[in-house]
Amino acid sequence: MATGSITTLGLGSGLELQSILDQLKEVDKTQITRKENTKTSLQKEIDAYNSVNAKLFAMKSDALSLSLESDFLKNTVTVTDEEIASATVNDGISAASFSLEVTQKARYNSWQTVGVESPDALISKEPETGITDLGAPVTTQAESMEILYGAAGNQQSINISLDSGLSLADIADAINTSDANEKAGGQSLVIASVQKNGDQYYLRLSAADGGNSADSQISISGFDYIKTDSIISISRADDEEPMFLSIPPGTTYEETAELINSASDNPGVKAMIVDTGVGTDSYRLTLTSKTSGEDHRISIQNLPMTEVNGANEESLNSHFTIDGISYQRQTNDAITDVVSGATLNLKKIGESSVSIQKNTDTVKETILSLVSKFNDLVNEIKGTTKTDETENTTTETEENPLSESYTAKSMLTKLKTLMSTSMNTSSKYGSLADIGLEINRDGTMGFDEDLLDQTLASNPDAVAALFIGDTDAGITGMGDIINDGITAMVDRSGIVSTEISEAETRMERLNKDILKATELLDKRYQTMTNDFVRLDSFVRQINSESSYMQSMIDSFNKTTE
């Protein structure tokens, strides 16, 4: 129903007043419709410029990448036999190649004990004293006991006088309460305790401070019923401070491994119980350095073990040659100090070759991407056809509102000029055309990839100079030329932003004009509607009076007849 219409308009007069009113209003709305169509066109233009802006930023990103020296410093490395070694290289190093021969891999120093029947076998056996009665006398005459406490060469003598007829408990008490068994501060040096081995008893002497130091060593001779804790030491060649560990009598092989692994000052060794599967005594305690190489060779004191890896002073380092020059290193992995900028990882004995080259794949992809994005921009502005090569079909793109825009065409011309720039360089490559750029008849660009590949392979430094320029020589590279040119286009005061701003300003004025015109039209036709209502009422009254007069005349005529 049209604005201002009244459903009963025309019923009284019989005239099509509402239809006349709607037709008149539609004619008067022509100006408003024209403005609305203009506004729709402007919105399409804004959307198109926003799309162009996005494509320009994409081109700018590629140009900026090509202006950065870091993108031209990337390297790649190949190893002819990756079972022998692998390598990685830093960016920016010179191309090089060298031969590599691995004659020995770095090894981990290892030791092992003799075989035993079970992990529960004792590594430090308890004495068999034959004393089964705890209260039985042990001493048969008065005698003196000397206990030596401390590291060799710096031992303290603890002399204990024993009477005849003393039991093990009596002897333990004599040791623990002796004035000789004290440090300068009054603390005990040695603790004596009665222990049981099956049904037999013996005395255990242990260091009061825990025993895990060189100064806590205890020794005594001449008393079969006494057993001291053993102090073992384990060290590595590169560590001046060995680990000391107190091993009580009755400690098993498995318990010894646990003590070594859990020690807070473990020097970097791993203890394990292994089952060799050989014979009945197949279990062995092994010690292995956690790090390879000579610097981590293990030294062991007071623990009966035999060296395996590294025995007979065999080298634990890796041995290899680079172009015939011999090297040794502590490790097989992450060797960084032989070939500058390269990291070597030795895997296997054998010969291989290593080659370091410039990695130009990323540069090539960025160059082709820049040209492809330029072509996308050309196709969008011109609204040209695109061919899907995979399906061999051609589809017409939607006509772009910028296809007739002088500003858009001017922008394409500037872009083409930027990408066709020629400059003076120290090489024969002074423009993109010299490395494969081609200008097509339809305004798009192509690239001779074979020529680009050849140029990147034969003279990558010249291609880099073309794009990044030479600051010292005052030469601006193609990357900066294109990037700066596009930056001016997408700037707030640039071509694209200016066109969008102007279109938005026109749309704002049109919105106001449409609103004002619509209000005036509605008011006008509201007045006309009221006038038509009065006209309809007047005509209806006239028609009513005419009908009445006609009925009077008809009645008079009948009477006359």
Side-chain angles (χ1 to χ4, degrees), residues 113 119 121-124 232 234 243 245-248 250-263 271-273 285-287 303 305:
T113 62
L122 300 181
I123 200 165
S124 177
I232 66 171
I234 302 173
M243 173 188 76
L245 199 61
S246 179
I247 307 295
T251 302
T252 66
Y253 275 70
E254 189 165 35
E255 289 170 342
T256 302
E258 292 174 357
L259 287 172
I260 294 172
N261 291 332
S262 61
M272 292 180 61
I273 302 297
L285 169 64
T286 64
L287 281 183
L303 185 63
M305 301 189 83

Side-chain angles (χ1 to χ4, degrees), residues 234-243 267-269 289-291 294-299:
I234 302 173
S235 61
R236 293 192 328 190
D238 62 339
D239 191 348
E240 295 181 358
E241 296 296 331
M243 173 188 76
V269 299
S289 176
K290 293 181 180 179
T291 311
E294 279 296 324
D295 285 353
H296 309 105
R297 184 181 285 273
I298 302 169
S299 295

Side-chain angles (χ1 to χ4, degrees), residues 127-139 166-169 171 194-203 223-226:
E128 295 183 2
T129 63
I131 302 172
T132 58
D133 182 0
L134 186 58
V138 174
T139 59
L166 297 180
S167 66
L168 289 177
I171 297 172
V194 178
Q195 303 292 324
K196 195 173 184 181
N197 177 16
D199 60 350
Q200 302 179 46
Y201 295 95
Y202 70 94
L203 279 183
F223 297 90
D224 294 338
Y225 54 83
I226 297 178

Side-chain angles (χ1 to χ4, degrees), residues 299-526:
S299 295
I300 303 171
Q301 298 293 329
N302 208 25
L303 185 63
M305 301 189 83
T306 303
E307 192 171 15
V308 183
N309 270 352
N312 301 317
E313 298 184 354
E314 291 181 356
S315 175
L316 297 170
N317 291 339
S318 60
H319 293 237
F320 58 98
T321 63
I322 299 290
D323 287 340
I325 300 175
S326 298
Y327 296 89
Q328 288 190 39
R329 289 298 181 267
Q330 302 289 325
T331 180
N332 298 309
D333 302 318
I335 300 172
T336 60
D337 59 349
V338 176
V339 178
S340 178
T343 300
L344 301 178
N345 301 291
L346 311 180
K347 298 180 178 180
K348 181 180 175 183
I349 294 173
E351 298 181 20
S352 185
S353 295
V354 181
S355 178
I356 302 170
Q357 309 96 12
K358 291 285 187 182
N359 184 356
T360 58
D361 291 345
T362 302
V363 172
K364 176 184 175 181
E365 291 173 4
T366 306
I367 293 172
L368 296 180
S369 173
L370 177 66
V371 173
S372 176
K373 289 169 183 175
F374 171 80
N375 291 338
D376 287 344
L377 194 57
V378 171
N379 290 328
E380 177 162 344
I381 291 177
K382 290 188 174 183
T384 53
T385 58
K386 292 183 179 179
T387 301
D388 187 342
E389 297 179 355
T390 58
E391 298 183 4
N392 198 26
T393 58
T394 301
T395 53
E396 192 80 20
T397 61
E398 182 181 351
E399 183 178 354
N400 193 292
L402 304 182
S403 58
E404 301 301 325
S405 169
Y406 171 80
T407 300
K409 291 180 179 179
S410 174
M411 182 176 60
L412 286 181
T413 300
K414 290 181 179 179
L415 281 174
K416 190 179 298 182
T417 301
L418 288 173
M419 297 184 68
S420 303
T421 301
S422 294
M423 43 194 245
N424 293 322
T425 64
S426 58
S427 72
K428 64 180 181 179
Y429 306 111
S431 69
L432 295 185
D434 294 332
I435 62 173
L437 181 69
E438 301 170 340
I439 307 296
N440 301 321
R441 290 184 178 181
D442 62 358
T444 61
M445 294 183 176
F447 233 101
D448 183 342
E449 289 194 41
D450 290 337
L451 177 57
L452 179 60
D453 288 338
Q454 292 172 11
T455 307
L456 287 171
S458 62
N459 206 338
D461 292 337
V463 177
L466 173 64
F467 280 99
I468 65 180
D470 187 340
T471 304
D472 295 336
I475 300 174
T476 302
M478 285 297 300
D480 280 328
I481 289 174
I482 298 172
N483 179 54
D484 294 344
I486 297 177
T487 298
M489 294 179 188
V490 298
D491 189 75
R492 291 185 178 181
S493 59
I495 297 174
V496 178
S497 296
T498 299
E499 290 296 319
I500 292 175
S501 179
E502 290 179 358
E504 288 175 343
T505 300
R506 290 178 61 191
M507 282 187 64
E508 187 176 349
R509 287 199 301 266
L510 283 171
N511 283 331
K512 291 180 180 178
D513 291 346
I514 291 171
L515 179 61
K516 184 176 180 180
T518 301
E519 290 177 350
L520 290 174
L521 186 64
D522 288 343
K523 288 180 180 179
R524 179 183 176 188
Y525 276 86
Q526 184 61 50

Side-chain angles (χ1 to χ4, degrees), residues 62-80:
D62 286 343
L64 177 61
S65 179
L66 290 170
S67 72
L68 302 176
E69 185 178 6
S70 58
D71 278 14
F72 293 88
L73 297 178
K74 298 184 182 301
N75 290 99
T76 185
V77 61
T78 55
V79 181
T80 55

Side-chain angles (χ1 to χ4, degrees), residues 53-116:
N53 207 36
K55 287 181 168 57
L56 285 171
F57 270 107
M59 287 186 65
K60 174 178 166 59
S61 176
D62 286 343
L64 177 61
S65 179
L66 290 170
S67 72
L68 302 176
E69 185 178 6
S70 58
D71 278 14
F72 293 88
L73 297 178
K74 298 184 182 301
N75 290 99
T76 185
V77 61
T78 55
V79 181
T80 55
D81 191 340
E82 292 191 349
E83 290 187 356
I84 303 297
S86 64
T88 58
V89 291
N90 300 331
D91 291 336
I93 66 173
S94 301
S97 60
F98 54 88
S99 62
L100 168 67
E101 181 180 5
V102 181
T103 55
Q104 177 176 301
K105 290 185 63 180
R107 298 183 297 166
Y108 299 87
N109 190 209
S110 60
W111 295 68
Q112 68 178 6
T113 62
V114 297
V116 292

